[in-house]
Amino acid sequence: MILSRRASLMLGLATVSTAVMPRIALAQTAVPTSFSYPVEGGQVVFHPVDHASMVIETPGGAIYVDPVGGAEPYRGLPQPSLILITHEHGDHFDLPTLQALPAVAIIANPAVHAMLPAEMQSRATAMANGDAAQAIGLTIEAVPAYNTTPDRQQYHPQGRDNGYVLTIGGKRFYIAGDTEDTPEMRALEDIEVAFLPMNLPYTMTVQQAAEAVADFRPVTVFPYHHRGSDVREFARLVEASGAGSLVVIANWYSGGQD
């Protein structure tokens, strides 16, 4: 990972080797790293799984975000109480993986909800951009995720896909999904931790992501969904912007990025 700036976080590290430079630290490990943040009533712990998939432990239960790859990548992680799905692409929505996981509540964008078999639809909730819901003791807001560059709009058209803001124990955590640096992203406020995608042609460049961070200034930001992108350049750009955000580059690709 690369760290830059202050932290109101406690890093619970599974396995870490760190080389420290001024305001930047580096680590890559073969084991996904866990990152813990104190909130009212306990803590929130993020477990990167792969690419765009993660597990979030909260005081009310564990959330699986965009689970793919079958049940095996989740072995040894907390069992889910809730599954969040941002959109329909195969690196975010995989029906065999959902069928292999425990039958818990699902929140998805309307397009994915319509694709679920009847049994899953019976325990699923469709959330469109702008909707809010309560689940497992936290608030979930569905925020827009879409492409703004004309030749990328075919991948994520405006109004279809979700990002999510989770309010847990008084702190706000943003999972962007697949998106560019939309006006809605730039207008976010009081974000403790943000997960931002940055790879072409599907999402945004590291420059776009850094410019968005300079606008909405999350306390901490994780690049994810970044296969093939120069995330160290992203960290440098955020540092140079004066946003003051802590950049954490975790190990999303334990098997390599190819």
Side-chain angles (χ1 to χ4, degrees):
M1 66 191 163
I2 294 178
L3 303 180
S4 154
R5 191 211 178 218
R6 62 183 166 86
S8 65
L9 78 169
M10 300 180 299
L11 293 181
L13 304 181
T15 306
V16 172
S17 170
T18 306
V20 178
M21 299 179 289
R23 300 185 61 177
I24 294 178
L26 291 156
Q28 278 289 352
T29 71
V31 179
T33 302
S34 299
F35 302 87
S36 302
Y37 298 81
V39 297
E40 294 175 9
Q43 62 180 353
V44 175
V45 183
F46 294 95
H47 301 272
V49 176
D50 182 67
H51 186 56
S53 302
M54 70 182 82
V55 171
I56 307 172
E57 293 184 72
T58 80
I63 304 170
Y64 283 19
V65 179
D66 286 345
V68 301
E72 182 61 30
Y74 301 89
R75 190 178 302 278
L77 290 169
Q79 292 290 290
S81 298
L82 175 68
I83 294 171
L84 290 181
I85 303 171
T86 60
H87 67 289
E88 64 200 62
H89 290 166
D91 53 343
H92 298 261
F93 168 53
D94 180 61
L95 186 57
T97 297
L98 296 179
Q99 292 168 331
L101 294 173
V104 300
I106 298 170
I107 289 176
N109 67 317
V112 166
H113 186 272
M115 298 175 185
L116 296 173
E119 182 278 324
M120 287 187 186
Q121 280 195 348
S122 70
R123 54 185 166 92
T125 299
M127 289 186 68
N129 294 173
D131 287 349
Q134 300 286 324
I136 65 171
L138 57 92
T139 300
I140 302 168
E141 302 167 63
V143 297
Y146 61 95
N147 288 110
T148 56
T149 303
D151 63 359
R152 301 178 205 162
Q153 290 173 2
Q154 61 184 306
Y155 301 115
H156 307 98
Q158 187 171 1
R160 188 191 67 186
D161 303 339
N162 288 342
Y164 295 103
V165 174
L166 313 179
T167 301
I168 310 170
K171 293 185 178 179
R172 286 160 53 82
F173 302 89
Y174 173 47
I175 301 159
D178 278 12
T179 186
E180 289 186 65
D181 54 327
T182 65
E184 294 90 346
M185 176 190 293
R186 289 173 177 261
L188 289 169
E189 296 180 343
D190 302 322
I191 300 297
E192 183 74 12
V193 180
F195 292 83
L196 298 186
M198 50 195 77
N199 69 325
L200 294 179
Y202 306 106
T203 63
M204 55 184 158
T205 65
V206 296
Q207 291 81 9
Q208 286 177 292
E211 290 170 5
V213 168
D215 272 358
F216 77 95
R217 295 175 179 259
V219 175
T220 302
V221 58
F222 286 75
Y224 85 139
H225 197 290
H226 62 71
R227 182 178 281 113
S229 296
D230 187 349
V231 288
R232 289 168 179 78
E233 175 65 4
F234 168 73
R236 188 194 68 77
L237 291 169
V238 170
E239 182 78 16
S241 75
S245 299
L246 172 74
V247 176
V248 182
I249 298 180
N251 186 8
W252 296 91
Y253 302 97
S254 58
Q257 294 195 47
D258 297 329

